[in-house]
């Protein structure tokens, strides 16, 4: 498997409110370090460590504007420095929100507070998404991995001729995104997420796909896509991907399917009744939530997974994008399923054997048991690759 990594994703370090305690965020650089180390030790994969250039970073930000408002992205980029200049935070500390958007009858429209301190609450929905000195560097590096994963899957190369090589198109690629992406909305960070990497992969595939390529330039992207490409998103993180669901809820060309802990974070979304807009809207039924009771066994999980995969097959997408989280692991501090390391091999095999032909981008989301993350991922990839090679059974 081609695995994309950028060392700049290790720079973001922050704190979170967990229970009643402010602690170093469980979403830590050690997660990626552990994964990369295990990948290297296994020497079974094509690990590509890249560094986003200034051009790459600018392009990723432009493409992210299809999902996020410009003022939100500006805020995430600049808030730490503003707080620092106003003496609201020290260099080694993090920006954390105080007061969130408050619904009220007098003001139906929200607007950003003038006060620098107050604005942090306008652009966030929880207290697990702090912003520190280097967060923006990592956020954009993570986003760029999602963009580059898309480029590898395109039938022929995207923005530069140097990478044009129609023969080397891989069937699958994994991006070691950090921070993750599936919780943040168009203008609110949350659940350790700042830019929706999944949406970015889809935006990139749409934007640089061959028919569109002739009339659009990488330096001046615009998003009035007329492309009828179809995308299936399979979200396997323990938590419901509320941000991804929201992004594509009314889009008939994007199917979102998620298996997640029932009544768990982010608490207000993920119900099975959230199926998209009402018929006859063409996006009706294109959102499929499969909540699973906490404490569920791998057997119960597999039942849901088979249901999810049937739906994805029915949709006949052009691309598959997987939100892959390992917080489904039985020891995970934030997850509550009874899934063990060897189960991930079966999970990877099951997904890929149901969808062997679909070009697939796999993006990392959560997973917080540092010393098992690498093994869990390697198992998932082993199962996936066995299926991709068309072998019937696991070795
Ligand atoms: N008591 C991802 O896995 N805090 N985000 C939850 C539960 C936030 C998880 C607290 C969890 C965010 C990408
Ligand atoms: Zn998660």
């Amino acid at each position: 498997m081609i695995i994309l990594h950028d060392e700049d994703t290790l720079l973001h370090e922050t704190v979170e409110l967990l229970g009643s305690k402010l602690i170093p965020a469980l979403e830590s650089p050690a997660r990626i370090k552990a994964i990369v180390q295990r990948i290297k030790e296994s020497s079974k994969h094509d690990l590509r460590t890249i560094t986003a250039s200034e051009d790459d970073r600018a392009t990723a930000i432009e493409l992210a504007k299809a999902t996020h408002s410009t003022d939100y992205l500006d805020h995430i980029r600049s808030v730490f420095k503003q707080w620092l200049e106003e003496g609201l935070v020290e260099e080694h500390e993090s920006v954390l929100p105080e007061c969130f958007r408050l619904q009220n009858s007098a003001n139906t429209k929200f607007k950003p507070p003038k006060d620098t301190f107050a604005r942090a609450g306008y652009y966030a929905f929880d207290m697990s998404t702090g912003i520190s000195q280097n967060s923006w560097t990592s956020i954009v590096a993570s986003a760029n991995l999602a963009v580059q994963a898309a480029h590898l899957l395109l039938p022929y190369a995207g923005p530069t001729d140097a990478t044009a090589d129609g023969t080397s198109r891989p069937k699958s690629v994994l991006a070691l995104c950090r921070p993750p992406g599936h919780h943040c909305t168009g203008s609110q960070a949350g659940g350790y997420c700042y830019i929706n990497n999944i949406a970015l992969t889809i935006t990139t595939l749409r934007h640089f796909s061959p028919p569109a390529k002739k009339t659009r330039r990488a330096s001046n992207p615009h998003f009035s896509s007329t492309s009828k490409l179809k995308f299936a998103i399979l979200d396997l993180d323990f938590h419901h991907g509320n941000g991804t669901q929201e992004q594509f809820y009314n889009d008939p060309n994007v199917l979102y399917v998620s298996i997640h802990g029932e009544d768990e974070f982010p608490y207000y979304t993920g119900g099975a009744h959230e199926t998209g807009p009402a018929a006859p809207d063409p996006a009706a039924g294109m959102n499929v939530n499969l909540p699973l009771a906490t404490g569920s066994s791998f057997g119960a999980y597999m039942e849901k997974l088979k249901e999810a995969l049937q739906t994805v097959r029915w949709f006949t997408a052009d691309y598959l994008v997987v939100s892959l989280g390992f917080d489904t692991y039985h020891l995970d501090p934030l997850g509550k399923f009874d899934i063990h390391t060897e189960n991930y091999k079966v999970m990877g095999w099951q997904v890929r054997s149901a969808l062997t032909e679909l070009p697939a981008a796999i993006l990392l989301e959560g997973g917080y048991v540092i010393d098992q993350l690498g093994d869990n991922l390697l198992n998932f990839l082993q199962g996936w690759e066995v299926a991709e090679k068309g072998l019937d059974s696991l070795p």
Side-chain angles (χ1 to χ4, degrees):
M1 178 86 69
I2 296 176
I3 302 178
L4 300 180
H5 166 55
D6 185 329
E7 285 177 357
D8 282 350
T9 64
L10 305 175
L11 297 172
H12 164 64
E13 275 186 86
T14 188
V15 291
E16 69 170 308
L17 190 74
L18 190 65
S20 64
K21 296 193 169 38
L22 197 61
I23 60 162
L26 298 182
E27 199 294 284
S28 70
R31 299 174 57 241
I32 302 297
K33 283 186 198 155
I35 289 174
V36 167
Q37 191 190 332
R38 283 299 288 126
I39 291 167
K40 284 181 178 163
E41 283 166 9
S42 85
S43 59
K44 287 206 174 83
H45 298 286
D46 179 2
L47 178 68
R48 301 185 185 181
T49 303
I50 63 176
T51 306
S53 68
E54 277 312 311
D55 270 8
D56 292 336
R57 294 178 61 86
T59 302
I61 294 163
E62 277 310 296
L63 292 165
K65 290 180 184 172
T67 304
H68 302 282
S69 66
T70 305
D71 59 318
Y72 167 75
L73 293 170
D74 280 346
H75 168 84
I76 300 292
R77 176 178 56 76
S78 60
V79 67
F80 182 85
K81 202 163 163 261
Q82 286 171 15
W83 273 42
L84 197 61
E85 280 165 9
E86 296 188 22
L88 298 166
V89 68
E90 290 181 31
E91 247 174 77
H92 62 280
E93 292 178 331
S94 287
V95 170
L96 277 181
E98 180 214 31
C99 183
F100 299 112
R101 299 183 195 194
L102 176 60
Q103 252 164 20
N104 73 98
S105 308
N107 295 303
T108 47
K109 247 190 117 168
F110 291 110
K111 61 177 194 319
K114 290 186 190 76
D115 183 61
T116 313
F117 177 75
R119 268 203 304 279
Y122 179 84
Y123 290 112
F125 69 78
D126 75 356
M127 296 189 68
S128 53
T129 318
I131 298 175
S132 59
Q133 184 104 64
N134 297 315
S135 294
W136 179 247
T137 306
S138 295
I139 291 162
V140 180
S142 181
N144 179 59
L145 292 175
V147 171
Q148 298 310 325
H151 278 304
L152 285 170
L153 296 181
L154 283 164
Y156 47 85
T160 65
D161 291 329
T163 55
D165 179 4
T167 61
S168 65
R169 182 193 194 193
K171 283 176 102 174
S172 317
V173 52
L174 167 70
L176 297 180
C177 294
R178 173 183 188 268
H182 73 154
H183 290 306
C184 56
T185 70
S187 64
Q188 286 177 293
Y192 308 140
C193 304
Y194 307 82
I195 286 180
N196 190 315
N197 302 314
I198 292 281
L200 199 46
T201 293
I202 291 175
T203 299
T204 307
L205 288 167
R206 281 179 163 161
H207 189 77
F208 292 101
S209 280
K213 193 186 166 219
K214 294 186 194 87
T215 55
R216 292 173 196 168
R217 295 186 56 234
S219 56
N220 183 24
H222 63 96
F223 306 103
S224 55
S225 177
T226 52
S227 161
K228 282 289 176 287
L229 284 173
K230 290 169 72 182
F231 300 89
I233 301 167
L234 180 62
D235 193 327
L236 301 178
D237 187 274
F238 175 79
H239 304 99
H240 180 242
N242 61 295
T244 309
Q245 164 170 304
E246 185 66 19
Q247 188 59 34
F248 297 111
Y249 206 66
N250 294 298
D251 189 333
N253 296 310
V254 179
L255 171 73
Y256 177 75
V257 184
S258 173
I259 305 169
H260 49 267
E262 189 166 26
D263 300 327
E264 288 287 313
F265 182 89
Y267 310 119
Y268 303 97
T269 63
H273 61 279
E274 299 162 14
T275 57
D281 190 298
M286 300 306 163
N287 195 86
V288 180
N289 285 330
L290 302 171
L292 182 60
T294 54
S296 287
S297 67
F298 184 59
Y301 187 90
M302 283 298 281
E303 291 309 306
K304 291 283 180 201
L305 183 58
K306 284 172 189 164
E307 198 181 328
L309 293 168
Q310 255 179 4
T311 305
V312 174
R313 280 171 67 105
W314 159 85
F315 187 67
T316 62
D318 297 290
Y319 290 96
L320 172 68
V321 192
V322 180
S323 262
L324 184 58
F326 290 97
D327 36 14
T328 50
Y329 183 56
H330 70 118
L331 295 175
D332 197 278
L334 297 183
K336 294 168 190 160
F337 290 156
D338 194 21
I339 296 181
H340 295 247
T341 298
E342 62 276 12
N343 296 147
Y344 287 106
K345 201 183 292 182
V346 180
M347 196 190 290
W349 183 87
Q350 192 69 43
V351 173
R352 200 43 164 165
S353 58
L355 309 164
T356 330
E357 293 310 314
L358 269 183
I362 307 170
L363 309 188
L364 189 66
E365 299 283 358
Y368 307 100
V369 181
I370 309 290
D371 60 7
Q372 278 303 310
L373 267 177
D375 277 340
N376 291 346
L377 177 66
L378 286 177
N379 271 276
F380 185 92
L381 295 181
Q382 190 189 350
W384 179 284
E385 294 203 312
V386 167
E388 196 163 273
K389 288 181 187 114
L391 305 176
D392 281 338
S393 58
L394 287 166

